[in-house]
Amino acid sequence: MARSVVLRGVPRCPHCQIAPRWCVCAESRAVALPFALDVLMHNSEVWKPTSTGNLIRRVVPASRRIVWHNQCLPRREDVVRDGGADALWILHPRGEALEDVLRDQREQPPPGAGALENLRVLLIDGTWAQANDMLRHVDGWGRKVRLPVSALRGESRYWLRAQHSAGHFSTIEALIALLNALGFASESDTIRGQFEMHVYAMLLARGHKTRAGQFLAGSPIGASMPELVRQLQAGSGRAGAIAK
């Protein structure tokens, strides 16, 4: 089935936003994070099934989505809660090194969950041009923090959109990398599995079977979610079978 399946107004699962035939909700796993999480999402991303900001909202139910619109800008008090600016990290490549921030806060990685309980992390979700506009608006609200180079290696696994240059990763990949850098491998692995399954299913829904096969070859989901992978390959996911 061709990409037109996505472009036409076909029914979609209200949860994963994928056509029921490739619904991935059977393997949905919620994750609790050691810190509070906000996603500042450009309004153009809100209804896109490919958006990893929307995926974060599903995988991390306690997270907040703050929609950015240039005619209705979010306020500082909507984001910065108790604890003030020092308790808010704005994740961005132009920020301070994570290692320096942890040292300043006298936290040695990997910290225990309690060490981050007063922390709120803000992720910026949009195109790179949109993200730069949003960053200018929130600059000064908190501490800009960048991930170590070792946390984001290789190429992005976000095969649903073209990456403008090397080193560009999706919003959810930045979250995965942050969790790894802080030593929360279990949470990171669970979110990565949900992310990779989302990409794989969307590739199939677009009719890109060859590319989906290439993606699967480098993914852990073949081993961690084999039954759902088989169902998706057959084009009759669990939700699709129920719908019939």
Side-chain angles (χ1 to χ4, degrees):
M1 194 170 291
R3 180 180 168 84
S4 60
V5 167
V6 174
L7 296 180
R8 290 199 300 265
V10 298
R12 292 178 182 167
C13 169
H15 185 65
C16 69
Q17 297 182 300
I18 305 176
R21 190 175 179 184
W22 294 281
C23 174
V24 296
C25 292
E27 288 290 345
S28 179
R29 300 290 183 272
V31 179
L33 298 184
F35 46 78
L37 180 67
D38 291 339
V39 178
L40 181 62
M41 177 184 290
H42 195 276
N43 69 292
S44 66
E45 292 288 319
V46 171
W47 301 110
K48 292 180 179 178
T50 56
S51 169
T52 68
N54 287 327
L55 178 59
I56 289 173
R57 193 181 187 192
R58 299 194 298 272
V59 177
V60 186
S63 64
R64 296 189 306 166
R65 183 180 71 180
I66 301 168
V67 178
W68 163 282
H69 196 291
N70 58 12
Q71 295 183 357
C72 185
L73 298 175
R75 302 173 303 169
R76 185 180 187 274
E77 53 267 32
D78 294 331
V79 177
V80 181
R81 299 293 181 86
D82 294 341
D86 289 340
L88 176 70
W89 290 0
I90 303 171
L91 210 63
H92 196 274
R94 293 204 298 267
E96 303 173 66
L98 175 63
E99 308 94 289
D100 294 339
V101 175
L102 290 172
R103 185 178 61 248
D104 290 349
Q105 295 185 349
R106 298 181 179 179
E107 295 172 0
Q108 297 299 320
L116 300 177
E117 62 185 5
N118 295 320
L119 175 67
R120 182 172 296 276
V121 174
L122 179 67
L123 302 177
I124 298 178
D125 187 51
T127 67
W128 282 95
Q130 292 166 347
N132 286 332
D133 287 341
M134 290 189 281
L135 179 67
R136 282 192 288 270
H137 180 68
V138 303
D139 197 8
W141 288 10
R143 195 167 186 177
K144 294 195 296 293
V145 178
R146 76 171 184 270
L147 294 167
V149 175
S150 60
L152 290 169
R153 294 176 177 172
E155 297 181 356
S156 170
R157 295 286 290 168
Y158 189 40
W159 288 25
L160 302 178
R161 301 183 194 175
Q163 303 302 312
H164 295 293
S165 65
H168 283 188
F169 292 84
S170 64
T171 306
I172 200 169
E173 287 175 299
L175 173 60
I176 292 168
L178 175 62
L179 287 167
N180 276 327
L182 293 174
F184 295 96
S186 176
E187 291 84 349
S188 174
D189 289 346
T190 301
I191 294 175
R192 181 190 174 191
Q194 300 291 294
F195 164 61
E196 299 237 349
M197 182 58 77
H198 175 80
V199 174
Y200 179 63
M202 286 296 302
L203 288 171
L204 290 175
R206 289 179 167 185
H208 301 324
K209 292 184 178 181
T210 299
R211 189 160 173 77
Q214 294 168 343
F215 181 86
L216 182 62
S219 176
I221 61 174
S224 62
M225 308 177 200
E227 183 58 31
L228 182 56
V229 168
R230 285 193 291 269
Q231 290 176 350
L232 293 176
Q233 287 172 337
S236 56
R238 182 178 179 182
I242 294 173
K244 292 177 183 178

